[in-house]
Amino acid sequence: MTVTTYTDGANRLTYNADSSTAAFTFNFEIADTNSIEVYVDNVLKSISSDYSVTFNSGDSGTGSVVFTSAPS
């Protein structure tokens, strides 16, 4: 079995946090909330305790990652 790392830069976004912005948009489609990984300072965050995902339409597609507390 081969395990590969997903490295497609087209589906990766980087933002600079400012301690007041909690929502960050993504412009590529994902299937559901389990199809995205969120890191802050190279630390993987947990959905529901650290952030939620909102979709622009329905329960898949483009949308926003909304942190429970704005990252600094």
Side-chain angles (χ1 to χ4, degrees), residues 22-26 36 51-56 61-67:
F24 299 88
T25 61
F26 54 91
I36 192 167
Y51 69 93
S52 62
V53 176
T54 60
F55 292 100
N56 291 334
T62 61
S64 298
V65 169
V66 182
F67 285 91

Side-chain angles (χ1 to χ4, degrees), residues 11 14-15 19 29-30 44-45 48 51 53 58-59 64 67-68:
N11 292 330
T14 303
Y15 290 95
S19 299
E29 290 192 17
I30 62 172
L44 180 63
K45 296 299 174 178
S48 72
Y51 69 93
V53 176
D59 59 358
S64 298
F67 285 91
T68 54

